[in-house]
Amino acid sequence: MTVSHSEASSIRLENPETWPAVLRFFLYPKPLGRGQSFVFRVILLIAIIFFTGQLYGRGYDAPVAQFLHCLNLPVHETGHIVFGFFGSPIVTSLGGSLFQIIMPLVMCLALWIKPRDLMGASVGLWWAFENFIDVAPYIADALHMRMTLTSGGTGAEAPYGFHDWNFILSETGLLLKYDTISHVTYLIGYVGMGICVAWAAFSLFYY
């Protein structure tokens, strides 16, 4: 029996084991079982769609951004300690913002590579991109330093170097580009969260 080209293509699409290895790694999950977790995954998808819409509409002022900021802030401060071991003041200052993005990425990879839980991984990656929305206002405050910091005062009232992004951009000669850098950071966060929603939806309906 001969198989037409269209039928062969359909067979390849329906059987992920025949996909190229790279494509299979990124898109082929380990089935978790609809009866066991499908409803929970639907709830997660609805939640990140709702929160993404909220962030698109209100940015850092969105309630979910304010809630997650309370979780992101301790991670941010821990990042200063972790990156402080590199011995560079700029790296130490940058480490706070980097660490609050790195930690959700670790969660994403932990769920993605071993158990192949694409829905969980997409939520972890979504949180990483949400952290760009958390960092962007800090960058936007680099020049005028009106934001209240963990010390209880504003960056303008604190010694030089206490405001992370004022210090980073001043030391790298980019302070006057703070606005552009902030806008790009917002854009990365918004685009990334949209991609994560699409990935979560794919993982939901694929299996």
Side-chain angles (χ1 to χ4, degrees):
M1 182 180 68
T2 60
V3 179
S4 68
H5 177 71
S6 61
E7 290 175 332
S9 298
S10 175
I11 291 172
R12 285 196 296 271
L13 289 174
E14 292 173 0
N15 182 15
E17 297 294 345
T18 65
W19 295 358
V22 172
L23 187 63
R24 191 165 63 248
F25 174 79
F26 280 101
L27 297 179
Y28 183 39
K30 177 182 178 181
L32 299 177
R34 285 182 177 271
Q36 182 179 6
S37 60
F38 184 73
V39 173
F40 179 65
R41 287 185 283 124
V42 170
I43 294 171
L44 280 178
L45 177 60
I46 292 172
I48 64 171
I49 289 173
F50 174 76
F51 291 139
T52 300
Q54 194 179 91
L55 286 159
Y56 280 179
R58 300 182 60 183
Y60 182 71
D61 293 325
V64 65
Q66 296 298 305
F67 172 76
L68 289 176
H69 178 72
C70 297
L71 303 179
N72 297 331
L73 184 58
V75 180
H76 176 102
E77 297 303 327
T78 302
H80 290 311
I81 299 173
V82 173
F83 281 82
F85 288 104
F86 288 96
S88 167
I90 294 178
V91 173
T92 300
S93 295
L94 186 60
S97 297
L98 282 178
F99 203 61
Q100 67 181 90
I101 294 170
I102 289 171
M103 287 304 293
L105 284 178
V106 171
M107 181 179 109
C108 168
L109 292 173
L111 291 170
W112 183 9
I113 293 175
K114 184 64 176 177
R116 306 299 292 160
D117 180 0
L118 296 193
M119 175 61 77
S122 68
V123 172
L125 187 60
W126 181 92
W127 189 4
F129 281 113
E130 186 278 331
N131 270 282
F132 281 84
I133 310 302
D134 194 73
V135 170
Y138 201 7
I139 300 173
D141 188 58
L143 181 62
H144 303 292
M145 295 189 291
R146 300 181 181 125
M147 181 180 288
T148 301
L149 305 179
T150 53
S151 63
T154 65
E157 298 167 344
Y160 177 66
F162 198 83
H163 190 295
D164 294 343
W165 281 99
N166 174 266
F167 179 73
I168 293 165
L169 299 182
S170 294
E171 293 296 308
T172 55
L174 297 172
L175 184 59
L176 296 182
K177 297 186 182 296
Y178 76 96
D179 202 32
T180 300
I181 297 171
S182 174
H183 286 318
V184 170
T185 304
Y186 268 122
L187 181 62
I188 293 171
Y190 288 138
V191 172
M193 286 189 296
I195 292 172
C196 291
V197 169
W199 188 23
F202 170 85
S203 74
L204 176 65
F205 293 107
Y206 174 74
Y207 60 93

